[in-house]
Amino acid sequence: DYVVDVGPRRPGEPYPWVIEFQCVERTDRRQPGSLLFAGINFYSRSPDDPRALEAMNASAYAHGLGPFIDGGRGLYVVNHTGCTYPDVVPSSARGGGEGNLRRPIESRAPYLSSAV
């Protein structure tokens, strides 16, 4: 997983959007190093704002992700109807640690996704 870009913000404020790129290479002997999976996730705090989508899309192409968007299933909206997301993640879900630390979730779920 790689964070490709984040939307502009003022110091101390949360990022308005984030673009994530995921990829997995084959490890078998037939085609070692070839692409097995690639996915792009757009996360936005304002999923109904078309300016956020335009900014994320422009950034994705500017960072070279166009071939993954155009060569796969394209971008599609992920339906979150009826989904609920916790405000914090227990430390046990992050590998444990002293004192059962908790942290806020920055981005809850992908707004748009693309997979190859």
Side-chain angles (χ1 to χ4, degrees):
D1 293 346
Y2 298 95
V3 172
V4 175
D5 197 8
V6 296
R9 68 181 177 101
R10 292 187 184 123
E13 291 183 356
Y15 294 108
W17 54 261
V18 175
I19 300 173
E20 173 189 43
F21 177 71
Q22 304 170 319
C23 64
V24 176
E25 293 182 35
R26 293 184 78 102
T27 57
D28 59 26
R29 293 182 179 175
R30 292 178 295 169
Q31 296 176 311
S34 65
L35 186 64
L36 182 62
F37 167 82
I40 302 166
N41 294 315
F42 288 6
Y43 300 92
S44 177
R45 293 186 183 278
S46 305
D48 296 325
D49 183 353
R51 294 172 298 178
L53 173 58
E54 291 169 11
M56 289 185 287
N57 197 45
S59 177
Y61 278 92
H63 284 88
L65 298 178
F68 297 100
I69 296 169
D70 299 335
R73 291 185 277 174
L75 291 174
Y76 57 92
V77 176
V78 176
N79 183 354
H80 295 281
T81 303
C83 295
T84 58
Y85 303 98
D87 290 331
V88 294
V89 175
S91 64
S92 60
R94 296 182 289 113
E98 292 285 329
N100 195 24
L101 300 173
R102 298 165 77 91
R103 68 169 175 78
I105 295 175
E106 283 291 329
S107 302
R108 297 178 185 267
Y111 167 51
L112 288 176
S113 290
S114 177
V116 175

